[in-house]
Amino acid sequence: MNRELAVNQMKSVFTLLSNDVEEIRVYGKENNNGFAQRTLLRTYFAFIEGMICQLRLVAIATAKDYPDLFSNKEVILLKEERYQLSPKGKLETKANFQKNLPMLLFTINCYTRIHSPDFTVKTDERGWEALNDYSRIRNNLMHPKSLNDLELDGSSLKTSTEAAKWFKSTLLDMFAVCAKAEEHNRNKNCR
């Protein structure tokens, strides 16, 4: 996939998943029940995971055009791959899925490097802490081991809302900084 296609796909995924979140949010206002709450939290986490993946795909596509932008190790991590030998001594590529939050930080760092902006994810804010908690809540919803894993209380909903706001704010801030840097570079090159 080339960079332009990856960027366009990222924009489409952002729009589609944002629309999903908005639809279930509206539904939840009219039907404030456990189903709506669980569905909203699952849907929003799909938005987070989807955007992390799309940012990675843009970085991978960009790396093809600018091979010195990322190290080989970084590209392998962006692709979530690892290598090993088969029993017959042949090189095999295996999936190497990383934990969501470290991958989020790594991916944002790689994505912003494409545009050369100064952008740092604010991990010292309550939203980052909430995202860590939200990740646990989401895992319980997706892989329930008991009825308690499926029950959401006010604290879980508040934490998840804080995390969602923090993530979307971080994402939009990152896009704004990258767009500003890109505009600056375009103007500099036109002179």
Side-chain angles (χ1 to χ4, degrees), residues 1-62:
M1 177 181 322
N2 69 33
R3 183 170 187 252
E4 183 179 347
L5 184 60
V7 168
N8 288 335
Q9 177 178 288
M10 178 180 66
K11 290 176 181 177
S12 296
V13 168
F14 179 91
T15 300
L16 185 128
L17 292 176
S18 292
N19 290 342
D20 285 355
V21 168
E22 186 57 24
E23 279 190 47
I24 188 58
R25 197 182 66 70
V26 168
Y27 174 85
K29 280 185 172 182
E30 296 169 3
N31 305 280
N32 190 9
N33 57 42
F35 167 75
Q37 293 167 352
R38 288 186 301 275
T39 303
L40 175 61
L41 297 189
R42 289 181 192 122
T43 303
Y44 202 91
F45 215 90
F47 172 77
I48 292 170
E49 289 180 324
M51 290 312 301
I52 294 169
C53 180
Q54 293 305 308
L55 293 170
R56 279 192 0 259
L57 292 175
V58 170
I60 292 165
T62 303

Side-chain angles (χ1 to χ4, degrees), residues 135-179:
S135 185
R136 181 190 45 76
I137 294 164
R138 176 264 184 203
N139 288 342
N140 288 344
L141 290 174
M142 296 303 291
H143 311 286
K145 298 189 180 32
S146 71
L147 186 59
N148 288 340
D149 290 341
L150 297 169
E151 293 175 355
L152 299 170
D153 59 14
S155 175
S156 295
L157 294 171
K158 182 181 179 207
T159 296
S160 300
T161 300
E162 288 173 343
K165 286 180 181 177
W166 179 89
F167 177 77
K168 191 158 190 180
S169 173
T170 298
L171 194 63
L172 294 177
D173 288 349
M174 180 199 68
F175 285 145
V177 168
C178 289

